[in-house]
Amino acid sequence: MKKIRVMVVDDSLMFRTFLVSNLSKESNFEVVGFAINAMDAMNKIPLYKPDVLTLDIEMPGMTGLEFLKQMLPKYPLPVVLVSSLNVRVFDALSAGAVDFVRKPDNENNIKKNMFLSTLVGKINIAAQARVHLPTAEGFVIADGAVTRKSTSGNTGGWTPRPSNASSSFGASSSGTTAGGPPPVLSSSGVSVNDDMVLAIGASTGGTEAILAVMRQFPAKMPGIVITQHMPPGFTSMYAERLNRFCQMEVREAKHGDRLYPGLALLAPGGVQMRLVRMGSGYSVSCMGSDKVSGHCPSVDVLFDSVASIARDKAIGVILTGMGADGAAGLLRMRKNGAYTIGQDRESCVVYGMPMEAYKAGAVCTQASLLSIPSAVMAKLSKK
């Protein structure tokens, strides 16, 4: 198999050397070079022709976020962020980065090995991902490839991974897509009861996909439970981000939180979240750290609980992500009478989880990312 050409961008000599040395040991990687800052990276990309970049966010001069905004329209490369606990990670994901890994914060070898294992996995996934580019004047999206309207800024005849590039469905760091956010849908005709629940699951590319869906929902909605594969610490910041841009109240879930109309609860990183019956409505249980389907939190864990507790009073949505987490749980939801929606291939960063769910017969209907909210509202109106 062709090796994945990796380029490391980090201003720290010690950490850069650590990454280059360890990633070079992977049999399917070829570390083609490194850059010490954003400008160095911009100059070296057409020389090294990488398939995937690892990128630090906090760098002197031009930050990783500023670099992404300038680089991706010209070189639509999959980027894995390697960063400390930082809210700017989500701005960088909005700018087009595929995924992120938290830097190890001490010299503990076990944590370093866990970090490297996670990073290797995410680079492998990124190499297969569709790069969602914020639409910019001077660029058009045609047949999945990014082409320039003019010849200025020529890339020397090299266009990285053109078949995987597509327009962005997420939000920019200001919370708007390039053409402005889609309008909030009307809640007219929607009956909102305590016993209705919407469950959403996602992984790679999911932070922007969930935002794209959630920001179209009006405040008048059934309670929503969300599992996004994300490590501890980042889920609270992500919940705050969703809360800032959405009509509904969104917060990181705590054990025993009651779910009610107008509220969305996000599974905490490193903890399994389940739906629990509470009188005529619901609450959530946030307990257990064992991985299920390879993840904690796991989409399967959430969907299984919704299938058992809410049955036909539920709607399930599975979004972009690598692997099969959520497919079995969504199938149980459908068998128990829930309406289920899977994101389509064209709008996914990684068409893995929705594909596995579709192949298993768990999906009632497939829809593009920006069409999913309308499908949800149409089903709620019928109910």
Side-chain angles (χ1 to χ4, degrees):
M1 292 180 63
K2 181 183 175 183
K3 291 188 175 183
I4 299 170
R5 296 169 61 85
V6 181
M7 179 172 161
V8 173
V9 185
D10 198 296
D11 66 294
S12 166
L13 172 61
M14 183 178 298
F15 194 73
R16 189 172 65 242
T17 302
F18 168 74
L19 285 182
V20 170
S21 173
N22 284 279
L23 293 178
S24 296
K25 297 175 184 176
E26 296 297 316
S27 60
N28 65 322
F29 289 177
E30 179 184 359
V31 180
V32 295
F34 63 82
I36 62 174
N37 57 41
M39 292 308 299
D40 188 32
M42 194 71 83
N43 292 330
K44 288 179 176 176
I45 285 172
L47 299 177
Y48 293 152
K49 300 177 173 58
D51 296 320
V52 179
L53 292 184
T54 71
L55 177 66
D56 189 14
I57 294 180
E58 299 300 332
M59 295 187 292
M62 183 186 293
T63 67
L65 175 59
E66 294 166 333
F67 168 71
L68 275 173
K69 292 177 179 179
Q70 291 190 29
M71 184 273 291
L72 282 178
K74 189 175 182 181
Y75 305 114
L77 286 165
V79 173
V80 177
L81 305 168
V82 183
S83 175
S84 57
L85 183 62
N86 194 319
V87 70
R88 299 186 78 179
V89 163
F90 299 110
D91 292 338
L93 291 169
S94 291
V98 170
D99 211 335
F100 69 94
V101 184
R102 182 178 179 178
K103 279 186 176 181
D105 52 10
N106 57 43
E107 299 300 316
N108 185 300
N109 285 332
I110 294 177
K111 289 191 175 182
K112 280 189 173 181
N113 290 335
M114 291 174 60
F115 158 79
L116 286 169
S117 176
T118 301
L119 178 59
V120 166
K122 289 183 183 289
I123 290 173
N124 279 304
I125 293 171
Q128 306 172 53
R130 294 168 60 88
V131 180
H132 282 202
L133 300 173
T135 307
E137 186 176 354
F139 294 84
V140 294
I141 309 299
D143 298 326
V146 178
T147 55
R148 294 187 64 85
K149 290 182 179 178
S150 69
T151 57
S152 61
N154 191 279
T155 63
W158 172 66
T159 304
R161 302 169 53 81
S163 63
N164 284 347
S166 66
S167 57
S168 172
F169 298 103
S172 71
S173 58
S174 63
T176 62
T177 58
V184 175
L185 297 173
S186 170
S187 60
S188 177
V190 173
S191 177
V192 177
N193 301 311
D194 284 350
D195 63 350
M196 279 297 300
V197 63
L198 171 61
I200 301 174
S203 186
T204 308
T207 55
E208 292 308 297
I210 291 170
L211 175 57
V213 169
M214 289 289 297
R215 70 182 305 141
Q216 288 195 56
F217 288 148
K220 183 184 176 183
M221 285 287 293
I224 299 178
V225 282
I226 305 167
T227 290
Q228 160 71 42
H229 295 162
M230 194 177 292
F234 286 93
T235 42
S236 60
M237 292 189 296
Y238 180 53
E240 291 170 6
R241 183 181 182 85
L242 290 174
N243 189 61
R244 190 162 68 249
F245 293 132
C246 299
Q247 300 296 310
M248 295 183 68
E249 178 189 0
V250 185
R251 63 173 185 254
E252 183 185 51
K254 292 182 176 61
H255 181 68
D257 275 351
R258 185 172 71 87
L259 184 68
Y260 50 80
L263 173 66
L265 294 174
L266 176 71
V271 180
Q272 299 292 5
M273 183 173 78
R274 296 172 174 84
L275 189 71
V276 177
R277 174 63 69 180
M278 182 180 182
S280 61
Y282 308 104
S283 66
V284 293
S285 164
C286 299
M287 297 179 66
S289 58
D290 291 343
K291 290 185 177 181
V292 176
S293 303
H295 299 279
C296 184
S298 163
V299 180
D300 269 330
V301 168
L302 177 65
F303 284 178
D304 276 343
S305 67
V306 174
S308 298
I309 301 300
R311 302 183 67 82
D312 63 344
K313 301 295 184 181
I315 297 175
V317 178
I318 192 162
L319 301 174
T320 174
M322 178 63 78
D325 186 29
L330 196 71
L331 180 59
R332 293 187 188 96
M333 285 183 64
R334 185 176 186 183
K335 286 182 176 179
N336 282 359
Y339 183 68
T340 58
I341 303 170
Q343 187 178 350
D344 67 5
R345 179 188 299 270
E346 290 72 23
S347 65
C348 279
V349 172
V350 179
Y351 185 59
M353 287 162 51
M355 178 184 69
E356 294 300 329
Y358 181 78
K359 285 165 54 178
V363 175
C364 295
T365 186
Q366 283 194 311
S368 69
L369 184 60
L370 294 185
S371 298
I372 287 173
S374 296
V376 170
M377 299 303 287
K379 187 62 179 178
L380 289 174
S381 295
K382 289 180 183 178
K383 288 214 178 263

